[in-house]
Structures are given as C-alpha cells and as structure tokens.
C-alpha cells in the first residue's frame, strides 16, 4: 500500500475547498502509484471544515479512512506550534474534529499551542503524529526539546524541501535526526495541487485501514521509500500553476468588489 503522509486538498489556506479539483487530485494520485494519503489541511485554513464535511456527506467511511473511488483518505491537520515547527496529527474523524475544537484558542501566531500540549492531545486521542519538514527555514521543528521530539511517531521527508535543497542534503538531515530520536521517517509531498502527488511514496508491505495499522507499520519500519525522478519538474509545475490560479482568484475577488 503506497501512501503520501502530507497532502493538502485546498490550494491555499485562505481559499475555499474545490471538490472538482480535489477529485482530479485523487485520480492523478492513483495514476501515479498512490493508494492513499493523509489529508492534513492547515488547522487554521479558512475552509478546513468544508473539506471534511464533503467527505462525510459523499463517501463511505471504513476503518479510519474514507474510500473515494477506491482510494483511501485518512484525515488529519497540520498544526503550527509555539516557537516554531509544524506537526501533522491524524486520527479517526471524531478525534480530529475534537482536537480542532480544542485548538480554537490557538489559531493566531501569538497563541499557537505549545508542542507538549499538542503531543498530549494527540496521545489522548491515539493519533499518528508526524514532525513536518523538521529543518525548513522559519519552521525549524528540530530546535524543539529532544524529549518532546521523541514522542512523535515519525518525521517527514518532504518533497518541497527536496526540490529546494536537494535529496542528499534533506535526507541526510532527516535520517540523522531520525537516528538521534530513534523514530522513523516517512514521505510527504506537501502537495497543494495535484501535479505534486506521487513525487514521493511510502510503500508499505501491508494494507493499512486504521491509524493503529499505520502506527504499527511505521514503528516496525515495514515499508520502503520511493522518490520520483521527475520530482523537480512536478514541483516546479505545481508551484507555477498554483500561483497562477491564486492570482486569478484574487483578480476575480477584486473585480467583484468593484462591480
């Protein structure tokens, strides 16, 4: 079972959820060898709840994932933490909504949740917790206390970082941190636009239907990692297209205001 652990279904956290683009992303993911992903919108995205309501209203939920045209979608959030860093928290749908409610006081930068408190929340609801792009500029998760980092289930080997800094550098950093903390690392495309899907895959030997399945297989390192040789081209194409669409949507909003 091939999984991407870091996918955004919304083009930008300031924009609305687009079901048509989302479904195109599913088909693109399938064509590029993925069997499932974690949908982890930014926890402070303006249309976060619409994405999850859409899934609930239209698709079967089995285990801890939605089945969308034969494709598995686990849900979660990417959460900003105090003093720098992002953490992906994934669990069953009830748990994720409860955690989002508890994060309501922590939406703005000045009030981001403390890392330890987020870990406590994730453990309370038996969530999978992944340290996103731990060495990214302005989001240096690796600077958080080691005793807290060790409570994560995994680290994120991230497509955007590979694109910007090179696979050798990024994987060496993540691998060294993984060894220091004694936790594995998995892959995340960090996609906001479908073209980026399939650039990285975590290929499990077993099928995973629940968060418990994911956690156990990650802990046992029952997987291998695959990186697309077309990664740079796909990320570049995704970036250009995403920026173009965002600019067009902004122009449309400004035009509507003036009419």
């Amino acid at each position: 079972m091939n999984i991407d652990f870091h996918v955004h279904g919304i083009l930008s956290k300031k924009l609305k959820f687009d079901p048509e683009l989302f479904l195109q992303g599913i088909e693109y993911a399938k064509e590029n060898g993925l069997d499932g992903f974690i949908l982890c919108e930014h926890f402070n995205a303006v249309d976060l709840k619409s994405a999850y309501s859409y899934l609930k209203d239209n698709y079967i939920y089995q285990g801890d994932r939605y089945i969308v045209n034969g494709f598995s979608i686990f849900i979660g959030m990417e959460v900003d933490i105090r003093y720098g860093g992002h953490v992906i928290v994934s669990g069953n749908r009830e748990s994720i909504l409860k955690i989002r409610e508890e994060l309501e006081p922590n939406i703005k930068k000045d009030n981001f949740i403390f890392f330890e408190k987020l870990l406590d929340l994730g453990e309370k609801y038996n969530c999978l917790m992944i340290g996103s792009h731990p060495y990214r500029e302005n989001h240096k998760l690796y600077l958080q206390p080691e005793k807290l980092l060790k409570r994560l289930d995994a680290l994120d080997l991230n497509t955007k970082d590979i694109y910007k800094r090179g696979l050798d550098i990024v994987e060496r950093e993540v691998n060294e941190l993984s060894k220091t903390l004694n936790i594995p690392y998995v892959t995340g495309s960090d996609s906001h636009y479908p073209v980026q899907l399939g650039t990285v895959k975590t290929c499990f030997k077993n099928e995973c239907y629940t968060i418990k399945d994911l956690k156990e297989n990650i802990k046992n390192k029952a997987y291998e990692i695959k990186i697309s040789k077309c990664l740079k081209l796909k990320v570049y194409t995704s970036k250009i297209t995403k920026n173009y669409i965002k600019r067009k949507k902004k122009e449309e909003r400004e035009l509507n205001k003036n009419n």
Side-chain angles (χ1 to χ4, degrees), residues 4-11 38 40 42 78 86 88 132-133 136 139 156-161 187-193 196-197 199-200 235 238 242:
D4 184 338
F5 282 89
H6 190 157
V7 174
H8 300 276
I10 302 175
L11 199 66
I38 291 182
C40 53
H42 290 284
E78 186 175 14
H86 289 177
I88 293 168
S132 303
H133 37 70
R136 184 172 297 177
H139 301 295
D156 170 28
L157 180 64
N158 191 280
T159 289
K160 287 185 180 178
D161 293 340
T187 56
S189 68
D190 208 348
S191 170
H192 283 262
Y193 189 76
Q196 210 156 302
L197 295 166
T199 50
V200 291
V235 176
S238 176
K242 174 186 169 183

Side-chain angles (χ1 to χ4, degrees), residues 31 36 43 54 77 85 93 102 115 121 125 140 160 172 206 211 221 228 232 257-258:
E31 288 181 5
F43 81 112
Y54 170 78
M77 295 177 292
R93 58 184 179 182
E102 295 198 42
F115 189 19
L121 268 177
Y125 291 105
K140 294 180 178 178
K160 287 185 180 178
R172 183 178 69 249
N206 307 309
I211 295 300
K221 297 183 181 180
S228 171
K232 287 193 174 183
K257 285 181 182 178
N258 296 327

Side-chain angles (χ1 to χ4, degrees), residues 130-178:
I130 300 170
S132 303
H133 37 70
Y135 285 89
R136 184 172 297 177
E137 192 68 28
N138 300 324
H139 301 295
K140 294 180 178 178
L141 182 70
Y142 77 96
L143 294 177
Q144 292 282 349
E146 186 174 306
K147 66 177 182 179
L148 299 180
L149 291 167
K150 286 182 175 180
R151 291 170 61 184
L152 294 168
D153 295 295
L155 300 172
D156 170 28
L157 180 64
N158 191 280
T159 289
K160 287 185 180 178
D161 293 340
I162 295 170
Y163 169 76
K164 190 171 183 179
R165 303 178 61 226
L167 176 60
D168 291 344
I169 292 172
V170 174
E171 189 162 27
R172 183 178 69 249
E173 289 176 341
V174 174
N175 184 50
E176 288 177 357
L177 184 60
S178 168

Side-chain angles (χ1 to χ4, degrees), residues 90-106:
S90 182
N92 65 52
R93 58 184 179 182
E94 291 82 10
S95 296
I96 293 303
L97 291 175
K98 286 177 182 177
I99 292 173
R100 177 58 185 81
E101 288 176 7
E102 295 198 42
L103 289 173
E104 191 60 37
N106 307 109

